Amino acid sequence: MNLADTEIVQGVLNSTGYKFTNDISQADVVLVNTCAIREHAEERIYGRLGEFRHQKKQNPNLVVGVLGCMAERLRKQLIEEEKVVDLIVGPDEYRRVPELIENAFVGEKGIAVRLSKTETYDDIIPYREDGISAWISVMRGCDKFCTFCVVPFTRGRERSRPLESIIDEVRLLSERGFKEVNLLGQNVNSYQEGSFDFADLLYAVSKVDKNMRVRFTTSHPQDLSDKLIQTIAENDNICNYIHLPVQSGSNRILQLMNRTYTIEHFLNLVGEVRRILWTRKQIPGVSFSTDIISGFPTETEEDHQMTLEVMKEVRFDGAFMFKYSARENTKAWGMSDDVSEEVKSKRLSEIIDLQQKISYEINQTLIGKTFEILIEDLSKKSTDFYMGRTDTNKIVIVPKGELQIGDYCLVKIDRANSATLFASDGIKIEK
Ligand code: SAH
Ligand code: SF4
């Protein structure tokens, strides 16, 4: 989401004549986009500001800006205590970045952190390098108010971007040779624009270019509709991969988190999705990933065991796993953060170990099977190999051979660990 926001800011700046550099010593302006979701994300920003302070000593005219969720949250502190910061811009005020930079050039500090009920940047063309996969924010903000989460406070009310403007952008991406779009929102299932819901949007996007893969994230378990599951089943280029955060296996904790579903509902939903997508699309079925928080206030060993049980029952393909981090303004901030750091860490490592074991076992069952993958990039570890993904979002490493980035190809898996599948060659598919 932050990458997508950065591309919007770059789109705004590009249209006012700014050029981009990756070399900080060449820059007149340096902007850092921030996340406030957990304390750790915030801590990292202070480290970066230290670097910028050093740069500013060498180039006193350098303008430094902090963008995003932290800007919104810590505006006073950042301007007063972090003298290095010249401008602070929250997630709904990116149109003002050029004006604030101009002011900063003449020595005026600027803050723009108002949240909007309507801003979706629908007319801004994000600045993207050519590539294979693009992010598109289809909605902004969140109205769910999970008690641990700062997003409704830092990103404001939920609003959806007009369907037509999303389709226009997907069309442009297809013409530029992109092969995949990722539709983004904190809770894409509550997308609503006039009479169009998220299933309508997904359907319309999938029809733009049948050779373009369509992915989306994040789905809230309360709102994933039958219509949406059917839409995924009936359109081959909508990927069979669902990120469905469970957060905890204990109904008591889920209620304290205000997640608005029970574990029984969650398990039924997963079962239903599997039933429909397995029979309709067959191989490679459907994969699920999730988010889990360990050590939410009052979490007991028994609650924790319930989380492990749910993981064993669902057998998620992957998970993002976090220690609970108390955030100011949220309802849980007022609860006592009573699970000790030591216990949180112990539970988190049990969760991580179990997930690794499950991912490993699932991936072992894929050895010998053939999948269609989209080649996305060079492998991070060796330029003799490519990295591609299955429809179900599994990473596959394959030798380059005659293949090119952007090709679809068939691969037979001959080795796997918990995070990656390996194939010895790929056969290009003409589409
Ligand atoms: N809108 C998405 C989540 C966005 S935040 C959803 O509802 O699923 C991504 C993940 O960060 C959350 O799913 C949650 O697992 C984690 N998270 C959010 N706030 C947190 C906090 N205060 N402490 C620890 N993890 C948190
Ligand atoms: Fe945060 Fe809950 Fe909204 Fe996700 S749904 S962004 S966790 S408040």
Side-chain angles (χ1 to χ4, degrees), residues 1-16 18-22 29-35 45 48 65-69 89-95 97-98 101 120-121 124-129 134-137 140 155 169 184:
M1 194 156 282
N2 264 1
L3 282 175
D5 268 13
T6 298
E7 291 173 347
I8 289 172
V9 176
Q10 286 185 289
V12 171
L13 287 169
N14 190 45
S15 64
T16 36
Y18 285 92
K19 295 275 170 282
F20 307 110
T21 172
N22 287 325
V29 181
V30 40
L31 301 174
V32 59
N33 199 354
T34 61
C35 173
I45 291 303
R48 292 308 294 277
V66 175
L67 313 180
C69 293
V89 189
D92 286 345
E93 299 246 53
Y94 293 149
R95 290 176 197 269
V97 171
I101 291 176
T120 58
Y121 300 110
I124 305 278
I125 304 196
Y127 179 89
R128 299 185 178 96
E129 307 281 341
W135 307 100
I136 303 185
S137 283
R140 302 184 69 85
R155 299 185 75 87
E169 193 172 329
L184 295 179

Side-chain angles (χ1 to χ4, degrees), residues 142-146 148-152 186-187 220 247 259:
C142 184
D143 286 351
K144 286 273 185 230
F145 289 93
C146 301
F148 52 79
C149 183
V150 81
V151 167
Q186 292 298 347
N187 174 15
H220 190 289
Q247 312 297 3
R259 284 295 287 181

Side-chain angles (χ1 to χ4, degrees), residues 242-404:
I242 300 184
H243 181 62
L244 198 64
V246 65
Q247 312 297 3
S248 167
S250 153
N251 280 335
R252 188 183 69 83
I253 295 289
L254 287 176
Q255 199 171 6
L256 283 176
M257 288 176 164
N258 190 32
R259 284 295 287 181
T260 67
Y261 53 83
T262 59
I263 278 303
E264 292 71 27
H265 170 84
F266 188 91
L267 294 174
N268 270 335
L269 183 62
V270 169
E272 192 60 9
V273 173
R274 282 187 168 147
R275 190 179 64 74
I276 296 174
L277 295 188
W278 240 306
T279 51
R280 296 295 281 277
K281 275 199 182 173
Q282 295 176 354
I283 293 170
V286 55
S287 68
F288 284 97
S289 60
T290 199
D291 292 345
I292 297 174
I293 297 177
S294 86
F296 186 80
T298 76
E299 186 189 72
T300 60
E301 180 58 29
E302 201 185 345
D303 294 317
H304 168 62
Q305 290 299 330
M306 289 182 194
T307 299
L308 298 177
E309 282 311 310
V310 165
M311 293 171 69
K312 286 183 204 157
E313 193 157 343
V314 175
R315 293 178 70 79
F316 296 103
D317 293 76
F320 301 93
M321 299 156 283
F322 314 102
K323 268 192 257 183
Y324 170 68
S325 164
R327 310 312 286 138
E328 220 171 329
N329 292 330
T330 62
K331 204 159 174 199
W333 177 256
M335 305 175 191
S336 124
D337 187 3
D338 57 357
V339 180
S340 72
E341 189 55 30
E342 196 188 339
V343 171
K344 273 186 199 164
S345 295
K346 178 178 154 284
R347 289 181 189 164
L348 181 66
S349 46
E350 285 174 17
I351 290 170
I352 293 173
D353 289 350
L354 175 60
Q355 184 54 49
Q356 274 201 334
K357 177 170 170 281
I358 293 172
S359 298
Y360 180 82
E361 286 169 1
I362 293 176
N363 287 350
Q364 293 304 302
T365 67
L366 305 179
I367 294 174
K369 298 211 165 104
T370 300
F371 297 103
E372 179 179 313
I373 64 168
L374 169 64
I375 305 286
E376 294 181 17
D377 207 344
L378 287 173
S379 153
K380 281 198 193 109
K381 294 206 175 127
S382 160
T383 52
D384 296 334
F385 292 84
Y386 284 134
M387 182 282 276
R389 267 176 228 265
T390 64
D391 175 319
T392 52
N393 208 31
K394 304 233 175 235
I395 290 178
V396 182
I397 301 296
V398 58
K400 272 172 144 176
E402 303 292 303
L403 299 168
Q404 303 213 330

Side-chain angles (χ1 to χ4, degrees), residues 101-240:
I101 291 176
E102 293 301 322
N103 294 345
F105 280 141
V106 293
E108 239 176 76
K109 297 216 177 212
I111 304 185
V113 292
R114 256 197 343 220
L115 291 171
S116 155
K117 290 201 171 95
T118 53
E119 179 64 276
T120 58
Y121 300 110
D122 55 324
D123 56 328
I124 305 278
I125 304 196
Y127 179 89
R128 299 185 178 96
E129 307 281 341
D130 282 331
I132 300 303
S133 186
W135 307 100
I136 303 185
S137 283
V138 299
M139 57 189 298
R140 302 184 69 85
C142 184
D143 286 351
K144 286 273 185 230
F145 289 93
C146 301
T147 58
F148 52 79
C149 183
V150 81
V151 167
F153 304 96
T154 57
R155 299 185 75 87
R157 295 285 62 73
E158 194 171 279
R159 66 220 99 117
S160 299
R161 179 177 163 186
L163 183 136
E164 213 38 61
S165 84
I166 298 168
I167 299 300
D168 288 346
E169 193 172 329
V170 175
R171 211 171 280 129
L172 282 176
L173 289 167
S174 158
E175 284 161 12
R176 276 181 66 186
F178 279 84
K179 292 287 169 59
E180 182 179 272
V181 282
N182 280 281
L183 308 182
L184 295 179
Q186 292 298 347
N187 174 15
V188 285
N189 309 124
S190 3
Y191 179 89
Q192 195 73 46
E193 198 251 331
S195 61
F196 299 123
D197 62 14
F198 185 63
D200 298 326
L201 173 69
L202 204 53
Y203 178 79
V205 170
S206 78
K207 291 296 163 211
V208 171
D209 176 349
K210 69 177 177 22
N211 286 333
M212 222 170 167
R213 283 181 167 180
V214 186
R215 298 189 185 275
F216 56 93
T217 197
T218 294
S219 295
H220 190 289
Q222 188 204 314
D223 305 327
L224 197 130
S225 67
D226 288 348
K227 180 176 166 191
L228 179 65
I229 307 171
Q230 290 298 340
T231 307
I232 301 170
E234 286 161 13
N235 295 281
D236 277 346
N237 57 335
I238 303 178
C239 290
N240 275 3

Side-chain angles (χ1 to χ4, degrees), residues 397-414:
I397 301 296
V398 58
K400 272 172 144 176
E402 303 292 303
L403 299 168
Q404 303 213 330
I405 292 177
D407 283 350
Y408 284 97
C409 66
L410 284 178
V411 291
K412 191 167 159 195
I413 306 305
D414 50 27

